Amino acid sequence: MSSERPGVDRPRVDDVDEIVAAWRRERPDLDVTPLEVLSRVSRLARRLDLARGSAFSEHLLDGWAFDVLSALRRAGAPYELSPGQLVQQTLVTSGTMTNRVDRLERSGFVERRPDPGDRRGVLVRLTRAGRDVVDSAMADLIEQEKSLLSELSPAEQAQLAMLLRTMLAPLETREA
């Protein structure tokens, strides 16, 4: 009986390994090494999208609705932001945000109120119903995401987070 642990002592083979091997065979002149990382990231992103969709649909939310509600929830009490702040946090246009806030307001998840600091301004505030639904959806999302990460130890998860941060931070800085 072997003392090897699958995935620890001997790496598992996945579809990306087969894709990379095929490209190396067909195009030995190309360095396809980036595929080993980014094709896996792409495949994980698709699985994450499915897991998020599943977590949100249990609460009758779309991903965009969760994004807006969670931005308000993260803001802390009294759970309100200006439409401009919501645009910044969710990376959509102001017209798109207006439409989203309208829909969430009709659902009873948010309310608009005058901005006491700006007579022409409006604040979007999370309602109790909005807070309840985003809290429940967030708890389900965390369970889905824990499941996706379950093959990695806590130390491996921390290392992966650090490596992804190292890669992502400069890209976000350039885009800002």
Side-chain angles (χ1 to χ4, degrees), residues 115 117-122:
D115 184 344
D118 178 359
R119 287 186 302 154
R120 294 174 298 161
V122 170

Side-chain angles (χ1 to χ4, degrees), residues 7-148:
V8 174
D9 298 319
R10 186 175 25 151
R12 295 180 185 151
V13 174
D14 63 12
D15 291 343
V16 173
D17 290 319
E18 294 174 14
I19 291 167
V20 169
W23 276 116
R24 283 188 173 135
R25 182 188 68 242
E26 295 300 316
R27 290 292 310 268
D29 58 310
L30 292 179
D31 176 10
V32 295
T33 304
L35 294 177
E36 294 190 61
V37 173
L38 298 176
S39 290
R40 287 184 174 97
V41 168
S42 176
R43 286 165 178 260
L44 285 168
R46 278 185 259 156
R47 284 171 174 78
L48 177 58
D49 283 344
L50 291 171
R52 286 183 168 194
S54 172
F56 302 153
S57 69
E58 300 251 341
H59 303 278
L60 305 177
L61 292 176
D62 291 316
W64 66 263
F66 179 82
D67 288 347
V68 175
L69 296 175
S70 65
L72 291 166
R73 181 67 167 101
R74 290 189 315 266
Y79 311 110
E80 63 185 18
L81 294 169
S82 71
Q85 290 169 312
L86 286 169
V87 163
Q88 272 187 315
Q89 290 197 27
T90 60
L91 305 175
V92 298
T93 66
S94 60
T96 297
M97 184 53 64
T98 298
N99 184 346
R100 290 178 177 184
V101 170
D102 287 346
R103 291 174 66 184
L104 290 169
E105 191 172 37
R106 284 193 299 270
S107 298
F109 295 147
V110 302
E111 61 189 12
R112 287 181 172 98
R113 64 178 211 86
D115 184 344
D118 178 359
R119 287 186 302 154
R120 294 174 298 161
V122 170
L123 294 173
V124 179
R125 178 180 282 181
L126 195 61
T127 64
R128 182 67 179 164
R131 185 173 165 191
D132 289 347
V133 76
V134 74
D135 283 354
S136 294
M138 184 64 181
D140 287 349
L141 173 61
I142 294 300
E143 289 308 311
Q144 292 276 352
E145 292 186 357
K146 281 182 183 177
S147 176
L148 288 173

